[in-house]
Amino acid sequence: MKKNTIQKGLLKTYPNWFYLPAVITFAIFFVIPTISAFYFSLTRWTLFDATFIGFDNYVSFLSDPMLSIGLKNTFIYAILTSGLKTVLALPLAVMLTSNIRFKGFYRSIVFFPVLVSTIAVGITFSILMQPNSGLINVVLGSIGLGQPDWLGNPKLALYSVVFVDVWKGIGIATVIYMAGILAIPNDYFDAMKLEGGFWIRFRHVIIPLVRNSTFTIILLSFIGGLRSFDLIWAMTGGGPGFASDVLTSVIYKQYQAGFYGLSTAGNVILFIMVTVLIFPLRRFFNSREIEL
Amino acid sequence: MKLKKRSSYYLANIAVFILLSVIFIIPFIYILLMAAKSSKEAALLQFSLPSQFLFLENLKAVIVFGDYRMFRALLNSTLLTVGSVALIVVFAALFAFVSQRKKDKLASVLMSLLMIGLMIPPAVVPTIFLLRSLKIYKTMFGMIMIDVALFMPFATMIFRTAMSTIPRDLDEASFIDGATPLTIFFSVILPLLKPAIVTVVVTTSVNIFNDFVGPLYFLPGAKNITAPLTLYSFISQFSTQWNLLFANVVVVSVIPLIIFIFFQRQLVSGMMGGAVKG
């Protein structure tokens, strides 16, 4: 066969109908609901009929402090969880790729929480964080430190959940960083060996050369943080009061209360928030990617 | 001098060992201890050995509870996981195969469309409305299709990266041998995608098995209960029987752990390979 016929035949080897199963499923079960959300968010909606009410749902979302606190908390939650995971996972990954003892054991225990149901983790920590008899406060008390009410104090509740989210999710960030570190060619380290100690290596070789991993981790955990629901729901239910409500928990509460239009408006606000924050971040990261 | 360096090395090792063990192991030991206590002892919430070791009794109580509800939950979760993951692997691999090979306008438009699904969360009530209109709300089929749509973008991304490491000459050779597109896909491409498939199967099945939000919204109803939701209803019904609650935690955590241990070796290399290339 001639080269040309092969090329033509090959195109038939990649038939467009191979796209169909994925595209049809995705279009029906994701794209249609997502697009129709924009319309339903402008209605008072009972699932059986929808009355168009303009932007009323959005107005109540942004003006009612009970609802708008979710917006602020979602932002705080996403920033803190992704920031802490990124900052804490790097030293952990450096350690787990060094010549330290029990490496395999550490890798397993750091990754293990990733595998456990978020609800199970949430329940366990909400008991460990009980103000009087919870293990954390018992230990703090025995060494003479204060015993805060981790989940009962409105100023603290959201941050306590952030801590548990980082605990549960740091395994993934660590694995991504480990892959990044192991991919650094040895020449870089050899070149730096003459120059100085560990800190110099960390600062001038590892940090710049794992940049792609850093971007991946920030993006993944930021998206995860914006969408997070189950941990907050299991630990505080958005409480005390509305102190730790995030968008997703507001969406759930409004859904339970039967305010479907309002709930959907919350959903659209979440879409917009994700789009506005993630796309520029992605573009910025893509433009600064490095080749090893 | 040398001795000093050595002892500080050991000290650092010990410090790391204690720190990581306390942070990452104590919570799990606590779960096991609580699951082995009597309900009276568990109510004290102490980190202590049980005076009577009731671990198996508590497990049994959890499994028997509510007319063997736990069996139904594990069965439902398994069905949901296996069904969704099987469809995801085939659909995403078909898509990734053609889109990575063609690299034309259509391929990149469709790929960007799928990638939106990686970022934007599902619209809850409109999805319920859709399922109701299709008469598949509160059915396993409906839930499977939702999970396929939601978890497929991630799988597609992984497969596309892996596809780029499979040489095109292989397709060409099989084409000259007279193979049809489907034969090439199933007997040439899929076997070579194995490491990526392991990565997708493990991460996706753990995520779907542990998923709480999806079944909470799209698969309500007592007969539809899934593993994570057994915990949730436990809180509301038995807020005082901590021993049983923790026994329940143990039961629902075992399956993801088994999946992981079973595939661990291939998974780490697959994930590392993917991350390096991607």
Side-chain angles (χ1 to χ4, degrees):
Chain A
M1 268 188 265
K2 284 213 181 95
K3 189 85 189 161
N4 234 342
T5 24
I6 293 178
Q7 289 299 336
K8 251 190 212 151
L10 260 181
L11 276 183
K12 277 192 212 138
T13 304
Y14 311 126
N16 278 338
W17 69 264
F18 274 25
Y19 290 137
L20 288 181
V23 171
I24 290 177
T25 317
F26 189 72
I28 295 178
F29 294 97
F30 183 82
V31 178
I32 291 179
T34 302
I35 291 174
S36 62
F38 285 87
Y39 169 71
F40 286 123
S41 69
L42 302 173
T43 65
R44 191 177 297 119
W45 188 23
T46 63
L47 286 185
F48 299 104
D49 71 325
T51 325
F52 189 82
I53 52 167
F55 285 92
D56 283 10
N57 288 325
Y58 291 94
V59 172
S60 21
F61 228 103
L62 300 174
S63 59
D64 188 338
M66 259 165 52
L67 303 174
S68 62
I69 190 173
L71 212 70
K72 192 182 102 194
N73 282 345
T74 303
F75 192 66
I76 296 176
Y77 191 87
I79 297 260
L80 283 181
T81 49
S82 65
L84 286 172
K85 280 177 200 169
T86 314
V87 171
L88 296 174
L90 183 56
L92 208 53
V94 169
M95 203 172 76
L96 297 187
T97 48
S98 72
N99 57 357
I100 193 169
R101 285 181 174 217
F102 311 124
K103 233 178 344 192
F105 169 71
Y106 294 143
R107 287 180 185 180
S108 310
I109 61 170
V110 170
F111 195 73
F112 188 54
V114 173
L115 303 169
V116 179
S117 131
T118 312
I119 298 293
V121 169
I123 290 172
T124 306
F125 271 91
S126 59
I127 290 171
L128 291 172
M129 287 177 167
Q130 293 258 332
N132 301 314
S133 36
L135 182 62
I136 293 179
N137 276 359
V138 169
V139 171
L140 288 181
S142 70
I143 53 176
L145 291 171
Q147 297 173 299
D149 187 354
W150 299 100
L151 301 171
N153 179 345
K155 286 197 180 123
L156 207 58
L158 186 71
Y159 303 98
S160 307
V161 183
V162 165
F163 163 79
V164 180
D165 190 309
V166 173
W167 180 87
K168 182 174 186 335
I170 200 165
I172 292 189
T174 309
V175 170
I176 296 175
Y177 263 139
M178 278 163 51
I181 292 170
L182 293 176
I184 298 175
N186 268 332
D187 324 356
Y188 287 97
F189 287 111
D190 294 341
M192 292 307 285
K193 250 181 200 146
L194 305 170
E195 304 264 338
F198 172 76
W199 175 247
I200 305 224
R201 256 198 340 245
F202 185 68
R203 175 78 189 75
H204 295 284
V205 183
I206 293 179
I207 289 185
L209 291 182
V210 294
R211 192 151 81 189
N212 296 354
S213 312
T214 308
F215 294 163
T216 309
I217 293 166
I218 293 178
L219 269 180
L220 280 181
S221 46
F222 197 69
I223 295 171
L226 291 172
R227 298 170 60 153
S228 168
F229 169 70
D230 32 12
L231 190 64
I232 295 164
W233 195 248
M235 292 187 70
T236 67
F242 307 97
S244 63
D245 258 327
V246 288
L247 274 173
T248 49
S249 67
V250 175
I251 292 169
Y252 182 63
K253 284 179 178 173
Q254 299 309 323
Y255 159 75
Q256 270 188 318
F259 297 124
Y260 299 133
L262 193 58
S263 170
T264 307
N267 232 316
V268 173
I269 293 176
L270 184 57
F271 297 163
I272 295 171
M273 198 163 165
V274 172
T275 314
V276 167
L277 294 170
I278 297 296
F279 279 96
L281 202 61
R282 236 173 66 141
R283 176 156 303 177
F284 174 73
F285 286 166
N286 279 342
S287 70
R288 303 197 46 182
E289 262 188 13
I290 47 162
E291 291 270 331
L292 283 182
Chain B
M1 188 65 189
K2 201 166 185 187
L3 200 73
K4 204 173 165 191
K5 209 170 176 184
R6 231 178 156 172
S7 67
S8 72
Y9 171 77
Y10 280 120
L11 274 181
N13 259 324
I14 292 169
V16 165
F17 182 80
I18 292 176
L19 190 72
L20 287 183
S21 303
V22 166
I23 295 176
F24 287 101
I25 298 181
I26 297 280
F28 291 106
I29 296 180
Y30 185 74
I31 292 174
L32 292 175
L33 289 174
M34 288 290 272
K37 288 179 179 176
S38 68
S39 64
K40 228 182 208 166
E41 253 186 302
L44 301 174
L45 305 183
Q46 282 168 345
F47 187 83
S48 59
L49 283 173
S51 56
Q52 276 175 289
F53 192 77
L54 299 173
F55 190 66
L56 292 176
E57 285 81 348
N58 289 340
L59 282 190
K60 200 178 146 209
V62 165
I63 289 169
V64 171
F65 169 75
D67 206 9
Y68 292 91
R69 188 186 65 167
M70 182 59 79
F71 278 131
R72 186 177 303 155
L74 293 177
L75 182 71
N76 282 338
S77 283
T78 309
L79 266 176
L80 174 61
T81 308
V82 173
S84 318
V85 171
L87 292 180
I88 288 170
V89 167
V90 176
F91 290 7
L94 279 170
F95 183 97
F97 170 51
V98 175
S99 82
Q100 197 277 331
R101 288 306 196 235
K102 277 196 161 163
K103 286 187 182 143
D104 54 5
K105 185 96 186 176
L106 179 67
S108 77
V109 168
L110 291 179
M111 193 66 195
S112 332
L113 180 75
L114 279 193
M115 288 306 107
I116 291 176
L118 267 186
M119 284 172 265
I120 289 184
V124 175
V125 193
T127 307
I128 293 174
F129 181 67
L130 175 88
L131 293 175
R132 285 176 70 119
S133 319
L134 297 174
K135 309 238 180 307
I136 50 174
Y137 182 49
K138 300 187 187 179
T139 64
M140 185 54 76
F141 174 74
M143 187 67 236
I144 288 179
M145 294 320 284
I146 297 292
D147 273 347
V148 172
L150 297 184
F151 290 90
M152 194 171 46
F154 171 76
T156 314
M157 193 181 72
I158 301 278
F159 286 149
R160 238 182 92 111
T161 312
M163 275 304 302
S164 60
T165 65
I166 301 175
R168 210 178 255 266
D169 305 351
L170 288 177
D171 319 353
E172 215 161 296
S174 345
F175 169 70
I176 293 169
D177 289 345
T180 64
L182 274 178
T183 335
I184 297 181
F185 176 74
F186 280 107
S187 57
V188 180
I189 301 296
L190 267 195
L192 290 171
L193 279 179
K194 198 183 151 215
I197 292 177
V198 171
T199 308
V200 166
V201 167
V202 177
T203 49
T204 311
S205 50
V206 169
N207 282 336
I208 293 181
F209 191 90
N210 283 335
D211 183 28
F212 169 72
V213 190
L216 178 73
Y217 281 124
F218 309 126
L219 198 60
K223 72 174 174 45
N224 290 328
I225 193 163
T226 58
L229 274 115
T230 58
L231 284 170
Y232 187 61
S233 60
F234 232 110
I235 312 177
S236 39
Q237 289 166 359
F238 294 98
S239 58
T240 47
Q241 288 190 287
W242 297 117
N243 55 337
L244 296 190
L245 183 63
F246 280 100
N248 198 338
V249 167
V250 173
V251 174
V252 301
S253 305
V254 165
I255 290 184
L257 188 65
I258 292 174
I259 300 174
F260 182 73
I261 291 175
F262 195 70
F263 287 108
Q264 192 180 22
R265 192 162 290 247
Q266 293 112 305
L267 180 73
V268 172
S269 60
M271 256 155 72
M272 298 252 172
V276 174
K277 305 263 162 38

